[in-house]
Amino acid sequence: MKVNDYVKITGGSHEGEYGTITEVGSCPDGIMYQIDNSFWIDGYNAVVQDASVVKIKYFNPNCKVEQHGDWVDVKAAGTIHYKSGDFIMIPLGFAMQLPKNCEGHLLPRSSTFKKYHIIMTNSMGIIDEAYCGDNDQWHFPALAFADGVVREGDRIAQFRIVKKQKPLSISVVDCLNNADRGGFGSTGR
């Protein structure tokens, strides 16, 4: 491992966290690695990850994205008051250039409806790699089910970056030759 490698920590008090090696040092037990200029780990407790580099332009420096595991949390970039039934576009405070041949999948956090009584109107936001201009700020389209407020800095959504699906070759057939499962929504009957 070396400086600037992105690693997953596999042991110790920071197990499960991710970070970037910012310094390499040695001790009697072996090589030590400083993570994000914050804490040190030994080389036995880290695995190099294949990190994709993304460019982010912040519109609000108080609303930086935060990666926790496989998903990246995003925050409201301003305070918005709403009434039940309102449709609101909540700015998330950043524009991003995704890696080539990737797309972003934006979803509400599991606590968003419980805390704010809003749902994402299109169930899931798909951000393609062409949405990368200086003013292409990401938003959370929401429908309010009660009066409320989302405050600047509230974590309301999360995203992950996914490789685009390869083109499909469609083959039309009269029969799929597979057993039926019982119709849509039948799993677990």
Side-chain angles (χ1 to χ4, degrees):
M1 292 185 288
K2 61 189 180 309
V3 171
N4 292 326
D5 278 351
Y6 184 69
V7 296
K8 178 178 182 178
I9 300 160
T10 58
S13 61
H14 295 280
E15 183 172 355
E17 295 180 28
Y18 294 80
T20 302
I21 295 175
T22 50
E23 190 175 334
V24 178
S26 61
C27 70
D29 295 330
I31 297 176
M32 299 292 291
Y33 300 94
Q34 187 179 45
I35 307 299
D36 296 330
N37 292 316
S38 177
F39 58 90
W40 289 85
I41 62 167
D42 64 54
Y44 301 109
N45 288 325
V47 177
V48 175
Q49 302 292 297
D50 180 23
S52 297
V53 175
V54 296
K55 293 180 183 177
I56 294 180
K57 174 189 174 186
Y58 286 108
F59 297 96
N60 182 336
N62 298 322
C63 296
K64 294 194 174 181
V65 301
E66 299 174 354
Q67 184 166 358
H68 301 285
D70 294 336
W71 288 83
V72 180
D73 287 344
V74 296
K75 304 170 185 173
T79 298
I80 298 176
H81 296 266
Y82 48 86
K83 300 283 185 195
S84 180
D86 282 355
F87 170 74
I88 49 178
M89 289 291 282
I90 303 170
L92 299 176
F94 67 92
M96 179 182 294
Q97 181 179 331
L98 295 168
K100 188 166 178 54
N101 296 316
C102 290
E103 61 191 26
H105 291 182
L106 179 69
L107 293 160
R109 295 192 65 214
S110 60
S111 61
T112 298
F113 183 77
K114 179 177 150 187
K115 287 182 177 179
Y116 307 105
H117 308 289
I118 58 175
I119 62 169
M120 187 176 221
T121 55
N122 52 343
S123 300
M124 176 179 177
I126 306 293
I127 297 92
D128 66 45
E129 68 180 298
Y131 192 71
C132 60
D134 278 336
N135 295 305
D136 287 339
Q137 181 172 190
W138 288 28
H139 286 77
F140 181 96
L143 178 64
F145 282 77
D147 296 359
V149 61
V150 170
R151 300 195 186 287
E152 178 182 317
D154 286 349
R155 293 185 303 160
I156 59 169
Q158 58 193 338
F159 77 90
R160 70 184 312 163
I161 297 173
V162 179
K163 290 196 181 289
K164 288 184 179 178
Q165 177 176 295
K166 294 179 181 176
L168 299 175
S169 175
I170 306 296
S171 174
V172 178
V173 297
D174 292 327
C175 183
L176 297 174
N177 295 317
N178 299 313
D180 291 335
R181 286 183 46 184
F184 188 78
S186 64
T187 302
R189 261 199 234 181

